[in-house]
């Protein structure tokens, strides 16, 4: 039986993806040698978001079956599969994949429909019964090893990320790090935007929720001072205690300062939600004399340097 089994927990499922936009055909994008790495990157990052780890779920093959893109998934741990199912059920995976496709393909919006199957079972019909879904996935053992094309795309993605962390002059939009989960960033004019204003250098600014653009600019420009900013934020954010900051520094040491800073601010945004405002970040930057970065985030100049 599944519980208490000495063998590792391994299961398989198929994720069916289809764009509801007539102008976006996912299989065609994936079949394009130019677009394929971008679509793969979006899939990889969205699946990482759903399990909280880059290794939480493995892609074995991506099938193009018009109008669907079908991703064969392999799970090696029950808790990862459970996290994936929760993310799928709550619509988080869908949102995350839409965000990553938008960024990777530089499109305004990529509307998606999803369906999850394990063998002949349509899991969408039983998502509320998580244990039953787990059993269906567990029953379906992967019928193949990972496709060579997937291995090749993985390697390309890794080398691209390493290249990006070495090249500090890379454009902000191209430097979205490999491990970064997507965020519930508010859309422009979103009701999430907190009311109120704040003063910076004698000027009044609207207080708003931190955006993806703020997040990436901060990570790119804060450099070694990200830890100091984290300690300023920790005064009002329980999620950024010293052990957490030290763990982030260790965990993302190989990826470099951009990734460390990105993950720290991600922690802040995820834990504070609507309260993760630009005013709080600007105050932390001011406290650490990072005035030019604060000005950059507020659009006061386009200088790329940050003291």
């Amino acid at each position: 039986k599944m519980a208490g089994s000495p063998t590792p927990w391994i299961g398989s499922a198929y994720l069916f993806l289809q764009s509801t936009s007539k102008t976006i055909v996912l299989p065609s994008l994936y079949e394009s040698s130019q677009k394929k790495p971008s679509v793969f990157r979006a899939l990889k990052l969205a699946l990482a978001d759903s399990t909280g780890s880059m290794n939480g779920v493995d892609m074995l093959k991506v099938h193009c079956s018009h109008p669907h893109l079908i991703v064969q998934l392999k799970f090696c741990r029950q808790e990862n599969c459970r996290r994936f199912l929760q993310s799928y059920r709550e619509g988080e995976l869908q949102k995350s994949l839409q965000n990553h496709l938008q960024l990777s393909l530089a499109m305004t919006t990529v509307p998606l429909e999803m369906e999850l199957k394990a063998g002949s079972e349509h899991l969408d019909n039983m998502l509320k019964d998580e244990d039953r879904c787990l059993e269906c996935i567990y029953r379906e053992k992967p019928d193949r090893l990972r496709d060579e094309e997937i291995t090749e795309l993985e390697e390309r993605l890794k080398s691209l990320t390493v290249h990006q962390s070495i090249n500090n002059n890379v454009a902000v939009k191209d430097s979205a790090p490999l491990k970064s989960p997507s965020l519930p960033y508010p859309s422009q004019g979103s009701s999430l935007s907190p009311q109120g204003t704040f003063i910076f250098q004698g000027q009044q600014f609207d207080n708003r929720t931190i955006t993806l653009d703020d997040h990436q600019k901060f990570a790119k420009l804060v450099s070694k001072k990200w830890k100091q900013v984290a300690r300023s934020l920790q005064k009002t954010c329980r999620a950024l205690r010293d052990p957490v900051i030290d763990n982030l520094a260790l965990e993302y040491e190989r990826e470099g300062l951009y990734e460390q800073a990105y993950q720290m601010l991600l922690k802040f945004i995820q834990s504070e939600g609507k309260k993760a405002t630009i005013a709080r970040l600007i105050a932390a930057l001011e406290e650490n004399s990072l005035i030019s970065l604060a000005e950059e985030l507020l659009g006061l100049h386009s200088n790329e340097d940050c003291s």
Side-chain angles (χ1 to χ4, degrees):
K1 289 210 168 179
M2 193 167 72
S5 168
T7 54
W9 196 99
I10 291 175
S12 179
Y14 286 90
L15 182 63
F16 287 71
L17 305 169
Q18 180 183 355
S19 169
T20 52
S21 163
K22 288 178 182 173
T23 56
I24 302 169
V25 184
L26 290 178
S28 299
L29 289 171
Y30 194 78
E31 284 166 341
S32 151
S33 56
Q34 280 183 310
K35 302 284 186 187
K36 181 176 288 189
S38 300
V39 177
F40 178 80
R41 175 193 176 91
L43 286 168
K44 183 81 180 162
L45 290 171
L47 289 169
D49 292 348
S50 73
T51 59
S53 160
M54 286 306 280
N55 305 314
V57 54
D58 201 11
M59 277 189 275
L60 296 182
K61 185 170 176 63
V62 178
H63 305 264
C64 292
S65 175
H66 289 262
H68 292 103
L69 201 62
I70 307 169
V71 188
Q72 187 174 4
L73 305 173
K74 176 186 174 185
F75 299 91
C76 290
R77 293 174 66 185
Q78 186 179 332
E79 56 266 38
N80 287 338
C81 190
R82 197 180 284 279
R83 275 197 212 107
F84 168 85
L85 283 168
Q86 287 165 355
S87 172
Y88 181 84
R89 185 180 66 235
E90 288 161 15
E92 293 301 320
L93 175 63
Q94 186 176 11
K95 271 189 234 162
S96 170
L97 184 52
Q98 284 173 330
N99 286 345
H100 285 303
L101 284 168
Q102 243 171 284
L103 284 167
S104 291
L105 297 166
M107 290 179 170
T108 50
T109 178
V110 184
L112 284 179
E113 275 183 0
M114 291 185 162
E115 198 179 346
L116 191 62
K117 293 181 185 177
S120 59
E121 299 285 358
H122 290 250
L123 301 187
D124 297 68
N125 301 333
M126 57 175 92
L127 288 172
K128 287 183 180 173
D129 190 345
E130 205 170 271
D131 288 334
R132 190 176 159 207
C133 287
L134 283 167
E135 289 209 19
C136 291
I137 291 171
Y138 178 71
R139 270 203 310 269
E140 290 299 315
K141 298 302 180 210
D143 59 358
R144 59 160 58 244
L145 295 171
R146 186 199 281 187
D147 198 69
E148 280 179 17
E149 181 183 64
I150 299 287
T151 305
E152 197 180 300
L153 286 162
E154 291 261 10
E155 290 307 315
R156 281 181 70 177
L157 193 52
K158 278 179 195 162
S159 63
L160 180 68
T161 309
V162 169
H163 172 72
Q164 284 175 352
S165 59
I166 291 167
N167 179 8
N168 289 328
N169 298 320
V170 72
V172 170
K173 69 175 181 182
D174 293 331
S175 59
L178 181 65
K179 290 197 179 184
S180 299
S182 63
L183 293 168
Y185 293 112
S187 57
Q188 296 226 313
S190 161
S191 58
L192 283 178
S193 298
Q195 297 302 307
T197 57
F198 66 100
I199 304 294
F200 173 73
Q201 294 188 329
Q203 288 188 56
Q204 193 169 5
F205 293 90
D206 286 332
N207 195 9
R208 55 178 173 75
T209 314
I210 293 168
T211 65
L212 176 59
D213 191 47
D214 299 328
H215 195 165
Q216 291 180 328
K217 276 184 183 171
F218 170 82
K220 187 183 176 199
L221 300 173
V222 71
S223 192
K224 293 175 184 173
K225 291 194 176 179
W226 72 266
K227 278 190 178 182
Q228 289 163 245
V229 177
R231 293 199 174 96
S232 294
L233 290 170
Q234 80 177 192
K235 293 170 190 172
T236 57
C237 175
R238 286 185 164 192
L240 288 176
R241 294 290 175 234
D242 282 338
V244 174
I245 296 169
D246 294 338
N247 283 343
L248 287 171
L250 279 172
E251 190 178 347
Y252 297 100
E253 187 176 17
R254 289 178 68 180
E255 282 91 342
L257 293 170
Y258 178 98
E259 184 67 19
Q260 291 170 338
Y262 192 102
Q263 293 294 334
M264 182 279 287
L265 194 57
L266 176 66
K267 205 91 174 157
F268 175 69
I269 293 167
Q270 286 180 328
S271 67
E272 297 295 297
K274 295 177 191 178
K275 295 178 187 171
T277 62
I278 193 72
R280 289 173 72 184
L281 183 55
I282 296 297
L285 293 174
E286 275 193 285
E287 196 173 302
N288 293 286
S289 305
L290 291 163
I291 302 304
S292 66
L293 175 47
E295 289 172 347
E296 181 73 37
L297 294 182
L298 295 172
L300 293 177
H301 62 63
S302 57
N303 182 13
E304 286 288 294
D305 297 320
C306 173
S307 58

